Amino acid sequence: MRILILGGGGFLGQKLARQLILHQTILVRGQESKITAIQLLDQFWPESKVENLILEYTQGNITDQNIMRAALASAPDVIFHLAAIVSGEAEKNFDLGMQVNLHANLSLLDMIRSFGHKPVVVFASTCAAFGGDTSRVIDDYTAPIPQSSYGSQKVMTEVLINDYSRKGFLHGRVLRLPTIVVRPGKANAATSSFVSSIIREPLQGLRANCPVNEDVFVWILSPRAVIHNFIHAAGLTEEQIGQQRIINLPGNTIQIKAMVQAMDELSGTSTSDLIDWLPDPFIQSIVLTWPPFFKTTWADQLGFIKDESVHAIIKGFIEDELKGILPG
């Protein structure tokens, strides 16, 4: 069983590779198989990247058709597509967002079709597919109305994956992700980046800024849970998925103030004193259009998971990224 991870240098790509190595086998469309090779493709790698004999690192951009053609020529059985220009950058640089988040994906799908290998494709989409009235509850039949270029580009790719699956060119599973918290490392250009930074930085004795009001609700999921869900998606059979290949993942709806309160309770100190509350109109113009209330009946039936609580999410970050050690 050969696996290709696009965006393999990102923190989720690295965590996914690590988990696959740990498992050694993977369930794909209901059949368990031994993992023989994992190719990770990205432009950049972390300083301490995952190392293993079955890992193959390819440096490149998904917009480079020669690199992508070579990656697909190896006939991957499963493609985890995590590569994207993140929300804030896609909004500021429309051309770049379109190039990476739409045109490169269209090219990728056409290449998959031309090779004829029919891989399972697990595509990381986003809850930014929705927008408008943020008080409504999003269910499995709510029409996507994205209010950002990033969300729009993701939705267009969703529709393409669904149609290429319908035609039998590949076996698509589109996962609309909640905001992933807590992301390790440094803040990036994603407009949701602050949701992690207001936990990550204070827990390391550093200041962070929250650009939205503390009463704002967010829809979140931990790295642990999303990695589980990526792998779980690959194992689903066509009979289980049917025609409903676009899945809103489960998550937790939580107010910002409840998140920082949970952080204080776990740290045993007023860690949240390190948070500044300076509004950012650009971030608000995007984040405040994302609905935080979801009813994920279909994902629940398919066996996807969410975290027990926000305390469990923060505790997981402390254990996985800080080795259980807090400043002071």
Side-chain angles (χ1 to χ4, degrees):
M1 182 64 60
R2 185 175 179 85
I3 296 170
L4 171 62
I5 304 177
L6 304 178
F11 92 96
L12 285 180
Q14 290 283 290
K15 285 183 178 291
L16 176 57
R18 190 175 286 112
Q19 196 66 22
L20 291 170
I21 291 167
L22 184 64
H23 286 184
Q24 298 184 13
T25 63
I26 184 171
L27 189 70
V28 177
R29 298 176 62 209
Q31 303 248 334
E32 190 89 22
S33 299
K34 179 180 175 62
I35 299 171
T36 56
I38 303 173
Q39 181 179 8
L40 298 96
L41 190 151
D42 212 324
Q43 295 184 85
F44 308 105
W45 309 114
E47 291 182 5
S48 56
K49 62 184 181 182
V50 181
E51 298 287 359
N52 192 274
L53 290 175
I54 67 170
L55 294 185
E56 304 169 7
Y57 280 92
T58 300
Q59 190 156 12
N61 192 305
I62 65 168
T63 62
D64 188 320
Q65 294 194 8
N66 290 329
I67 288 176
M68 293 306 301
R69 193 172 289 109
L72 294 175
S74 64
D77 301 283
V78 183
I79 301 172
F80 292 99
H81 188 351
L82 317 182
I85 293 297
V86 294
S87 52
E89 185 65 23
E91 191 68 19
K92 291 178 178 178
N93 191 334
F94 181 79
D95 291 332
L96 180 61
M98 289 292 287
Q99 181 185 17
V100 176
N101 295 343
L102 181 59
H103 296 305
N105 290 337
L106 177 57
S107 176
L108 168 65
L109 295 175
D110 277 342
M111 285 186 198
I112 290 173
R113 176 190 174 192
S114 68
F115 275 107
H117 298 139
K118 302 182 180 180
V120 169
V121 177
V122 180
F123 178 66
S125 191
T126 173
C127 62
F130 302 101
D133 181 5
T134 58
S135 66
R136 64 180 176 158
V137 177
I138 303 298
D139 65 23
D140 297 318
Y141 300 100
T142 303
I145 310 176
Q147 299 298 304
S148 66
S149 295
Y150 173 73
S152 299
Q153 292 149 8
K154 287 286 191 177
V155 168
M156 287 186 279
T157 302
E158 291 179 355
V159 174
L160 288 170
I161 290 175
N162 190 72
D163 196 48
Y164 275 61
S165 299
R166 182 185 66 83
K167 296 290 288 184
F169 303 142
L170 52 84
H171 304 282
R173 292 97 169 85
V174 172
L175 307 184
R176 288 179 176 150
L177 275 56
T179 296
I180 304 304
V181 179
V182 178
R183 290 175 173 265
K186 299 179 180 179
N188 63 16
T191 50
S192 61
S193 184
F194 75 91
V195 187
S196 286
S197 66
I198 61 174
I199 303 297
R200 180 184 60 235
E201 270 72 90
L203 283 176
Q204 297 177 83
L206 304 172
R207 300 204 70 83
N209 183 58
C210 184
V212 302
N213 188 280
E214 65 173 6
D215 293 326
V216 166
F217 285 92
V218 287
W219 178 243
I220 63 175
L221 187 69
S222 73
R224 287 181 177 181
V226 77
I227 295 302
H228 172 94
N229 287 335
F230 283 147
I231 296 172
H232 179 72
L236 296 173
T237 65
E238 301 307 303
E239 291 73 22
Q240 287 174 295
I241 294 178
Q243 296 178 333
Q244 199 168 345
R245 303 177 187 92
I246 302 172
I247 303 162
N248 299 328
L249 283 189
N252 289 285
T253 300
I254 189 77
Q255 269 185 312
I256 295 293
K257 62 183 177 184
M259 285 183 59
V260 299
Q261 180 181 349
M263 175 178 66
D264 285 345
E265 291 170 358
L266 286 169
S267 66
T269 61
S270 297
T271 310
S272 59
D273 288 345
L274 290 168
I275 301 174
D276 300 314
W277 299 86
L278 303 175
D280 185 316
F282 173 72
I283 291 176
Q284 291 179 3
S285 70
I286 298 176
V287 173
L288 298 185
T289 68
W290 296 350
F293 305 108
F294 284 76
K295 183 180 180 181
T296 57
T297 304
W298 181 229
D300 297 338
Q301 290 176 358
L302 290 174
F304 290 97
I305 66 168
K306 65 177 182 179
D307 303 282
E308 292 182 5
S309 65
V310 68
H311 287 77
I313 290 175
I314 297 172
K315 186 178 179 183
F317 169 73
I318 294 171
E319 292 171 352
D320 294 348
E321 307 301 334
L322 305 182
K323 311 305 179 188
I325 300 172
L326 297 176

